[in-house]
Amino acid sequence: IVTNSVTAGSLYGGSDAAAQGLEALLGIARPGKIEYNFARTLRMTTFGTLVAGPSLGAWYPLLHKVTVSFRVKYKPKFAWGYWGSNATKTYVRKPLVEEGANNWAEVGVKLLFDSLFFQAPFLTAYFSITGALEGLSPTRIMKKTTENFHAAWFYGVLLWTPVQMANFLFVPVPAQALLVNVVNAGWKTFLSCLYHARDYGNKGADECTVAELQGVIEEQRGTIELLRTQLEMLEGQGRQ
């Protein structure tokens, strides 16, 4: 778990650094951004260390245990009972004689379980936790998650289906989380560039800046009105 956490934290931080570099290179960085956002990289490193690393490190061994029935079979064993001459039948678990006989069935079940019971909740947790670390309100976190989830889910299915198929077929269970973390580094870079291109790539910098300023003005309208009232009171006192 510790190794997975440290590795995931480093990879997530590195993926954000790469994403910020690509966003600047492609001209899709947030308008008004003039320097590297260290706080954003710290948020990603924190998520990788405290959430992604431990959860992935625990999930794949658990998934392997849940699908144990594909790797063993129960052979009947007969024994004489204490009463009479009837034989009683018990079952003893034995490893499959043909080791790869049910591999494809096992991989299919693992893919299904991973997609339904891990990837979807993990993606939701990613948007929610990073939004909370960013200081967003619950309403904005919900909006951000709703806007981004479906596109991320769609592209995720295209990416993770072949990756996980190879992962479950060829990679030892203790190393499966490591492979996922490595691929996740590139995946998070892609998602970041995708969302920045969607939000800022089709707009001029001036248009985006005006929209952002209008939002700030709306949020601070109450403060502006209060300052205006105080200014009028001071002017009235000056005339007296």
Side-chain angles (χ1 to χ4, degrees):
I1 296 295
V2 174
T3 301
N4 282 324
S5 297
V6 174
T7 303
S10 302
L11 290 170
Y12 271 67
S15 71
D16 183 73
Q20 292 195 50
L22 285 174
E23 290 157 15
L25 182 64
L26 298 174
I28 55 175
R30 178 175 55 83
K33 181 180 177 181
I34 58 176
E35 59 184 12
Y36 186 85
N37 190 342
F38 287 98
R40 173 178 145 179
T41 300
L42 179 60
R43 289 194 296 269
M44 291 297 296
T45 303
T46 301
F47 179 84
T49 302
L50 300 182
V51 180
S55 60
L56 289 170
W59 168 247
Y60 290 105
L62 174 63
L63 185 60
H64 194 65
K65 290 180 180 179
V66 169
T67 55
V68 66
S69 60
F70 292 97
R71 298 184 301 277
V72 300
K73 62 182 178 181
Y74 292 85
K75 293 184 175 181
K77 179 180 179 181
F78 292 90
W80 293 104
Y82 291 106
W83 306 100
S85 59
N86 293 328
T88 58
K89 184 166 59 175
T90 59
Y91 290 88
V92 178
R93 193 174 75 172
K94 298 289 185 181
L96 284 174
V97 176
E98 299 178 17
E99 184 64 27
N102 292 317
N103 267 355
W104 285 107
E106 179 183 358
V107 168
V109 172
K110 284 185 173 181
L111 285 172
L112 180 63
F113 282 14
D114 186 66
S115 180
L116 293 179
F117 301 127
F118 186 81
Q119 293 297 339
F122 183 80
L123 193 57
T124 302
Y126 170 75
F127 290 128
S128 302
I129 295 173
T130 54
L133 292 173
E134 193 176 347
L136 301 181
S137 65
T139 303
R140 292 189 64 188
I141 291 175
M142 177 64 70
K143 181 180 178 181
K144 177 182 177 182
T145 303
T146 303
E147 290 176 348
N148 295 336
F149 180 86
H150 293 94
W153 174 261
F154 172 75
Y155 288 113
V157 170
L158 297 180
L159 170 72
W160 288 110
T161 299
V163 169
Q164 292 291 52
M165 184 178 297
N167 195 20
F168 295 140
L169 277 173
F170 305 116
V171 180
V173 175
Q176 287 177 357
L178 176 61
L179 174 65
V180 172
N181 278 323
V182 171
V183 178
N184 252 332
W187 173 236
K188 294 299 182 288
T189 301
F190 168 78
L191 286 181
S192 180
C193 292
L194 174 69
Y195 297 141
H196 277 74
R198 181 198 64 189
D199 295 338
Y200 308 125
N202 296 325
K203 301 178 181 179
D206 293 340
E207 180 183 351
C208 292
T209 303
V210 170
E212 289 189 348
L213 289 175
Q214 288 176 343
V216 172
I217 291 173
E218 289 297 326
E219 293 178 358
Q220 301 297 329
R221 185 176 296 277
T223 303
I224 294 172
E225 292 297 329
L226 177 61
L227 291 173
R228 181 180 299 172
T229 302
Q230 292 177 348
L231 180 59
E232 291 175 353
M233 292 176 59
L234 290 173
E235 290 178 349
Q237 292 175 1
R239 292 192 188 99
Q240 296 177 357

